[in-house]
Amino acid sequence: MAFWSGWLAVVALLTAGLVPLGYRMRQHRRAAPTSPTIKRHVLLGLATSALAFGHTMAVLPALGSPAATGGGMLALLPAGAAFFLLVAHAGLGLQLRNEKLRDRVKKRRAHTVTAILISLAVAVHVIALERAGH
């Protein structure tokens, strides 16, 4: 269950990220905070957060298993970091929906940085588990 819930969360993560990036590549500008594109991004992002939480809950009962301990801290630490960053990223994203947000550039930059860090943490998590043979 943990294996499939993890990959489902990865697919959701990629899909959510591609929505605003695809818009920007096609239109050569950012989507407005209240646009249908951003609404879709928000819905997919919230679904991704729910899937990440579900993946975490699916993994908890198996943490003492040889498969989980084989990955060790090198697998668990980036997973925890990714989850923490995902919550922070969602919070920043929800703030960005406010069209009158002060310091939008700083918040948007932090939103982008957290997205990159989430991707890196997930990649390290997956690689560590794959190398451990799980």
Side-chain angles (χ1 to χ4, degrees), residues 61-86:
L63 278 180
S65 72
T69 56
M73 286 304 291
L74 190 58
L76 296 177
L77 185 62
F83 188 77
F84 170 77
L85 288 164
L86 189 63

Side-chain angles (χ1 to χ4, degrees), residues 13-31:
L13 181 73
L14 291 171
T15 304
L18 287 174
V19 170
L21 292 174
Y23 181 89
R24 187 157 186 184
M25 288 172 60
R26 284 188 315 275
Q27 303 297 324
H28 304 289
R29 63 186 172 95
R30 290 184 189 93

